Amino acid sequence: MIKDLLIILISSSLVSNVVLSQFLGLCPFLGVSRKTSTAAGMGTAVIFVITLASAVAGAIYKYILTPFDLTYLQTIVFILVIAALVQFVEMFLKKFMKPLYQALGVYLPLITTNCAVLGVALTNVQKNYGILTGIVNGFATALGFTISIVILAGIREKMEFNDIPESFKGMPIVLITAGLMAIAFCGFSGLL
């Protein structure tokens, strides 16, 4: 059991990185990766939301949708759960972490529509993960998102001091960097 959870942890965070190999969650990945502090804050919020959404969605699926033969409602129910959790995180950050709330700006509500959050909940159901396994998968996926966004933010901070040709400035060099990161993360496939 511990071995299986460890494999899921490594696989979901590094080998099958949600951003760099599944291409889910690109909007906040590209939009919030200008500063490492903001990227780390977004990563922390995503870790909280995805882990909690995995637990709640798994419990709802197992104890409500499956017994009452309502599994066809899973996508709608998962979206509602995610929206409620993001509202909770947004209220918490607004009250207790005002600078981070302001730094995240419009990207915090985007977690609601972040396909990575919904993708994890649906993956947990499709792979028949139990609640604990789903929580580990959700945490690992969010951890992989955080690792990716913080690395990209660190690279972007360093690139500000580089002499980049005019045609590559801005988003083109960021997309090239993200592509190179995706290639580098392919090297983790040999771990499993």
Side-chain angles (χ1 to χ4, degrees):
M1 178 69 173
I2 299 294
K3 180 183 173 187
D4 294 336
L5 294 177
L6 187 60
I7 288 172
I8 288 172
L9 184 72
I10 292 170
S11 175
S12 294
S13 60
L14 297 175
V15 177
S16 300
N17 187 285
V18 70
V19 177
L20 299 174
S21 69
Q22 298 176 19
F23 308 112
L24 298 175
L26 287 175
C27 184
F29 176 71
L30 296 173
V32 186
S33 59
R34 286 195 175 102
K35 292 181 167 181
T36 53
S37 59
T38 309
M42 175 60 108
T44 304
V46 167
I47 286 173
F48 179 77
V49 169
I50 289 183
T51 305
L52 200 55
S54 295
V56 174
I60 289 174
Y61 185 81
K62 182 176 182 177
Y63 297 115
I64 297 173
L65 297 181
T66 302
F68 293 107
D69 199 28
L70 298 172
T71 55
Y72 60 91
L73 294 174
Q74 70 186 11
T75 304
I76 295 169
V77 170
F78 292 169
I79 289 171
L80 292 173
V81 166
I82 292 164
L85 290 172
V86 170
Q87 287 300 314
F88 172 73
V89 170
E90 188 173 3
M91 290 185 315
F92 178 81
L93 290 178
K94 189 174 186 178
K95 184 164 178 92
F96 296 109
M97 299 176 164
K98 194 94 169 160
L100 180 58
Y101 174 78
Q102 291 171 342
L104 292 175
V106 71
Y107 294 102
L108 187 58
L110 282 178
I111 295 176
T112 303
T113 58
N114 186 345
C115 53
V117 183
L118 180 61
V120 171
L122 293 174
T123 299
N124 290 342
V125 169
Q126 290 170 352
K127 291 188 175 185
N128 293 321
Y129 286 161
I131 296 174
L132 176 64
T133 309
I135 291 170
V136 170
N137 183 51
F139 174 77
T141 301
L143 181 65
F145 175 86
T146 304
I147 290 168
S148 302
I149 196 170
V150 169
I151 290 172
L152 182 63
I155 293 171
R156 285 181 76 173
E157 284 180 353
K158 297 289 183 189
M159 281 193 308
E160 288 182 19
F161 303 107
N162 293 344
D163 187 28
I164 298 171
E166 191 63 36
S167 59
F168 287 106
K169 286 186 178 176
M171 197 50 67
I173 195 69
V174 173
L175 292 173
I176 291 170
T177 304
L180 291 172
M181 284 177 59
I183 292 169
F185 268 64
C186 285
F188 289 120
S189 62
L191 286 174
L192 300 176

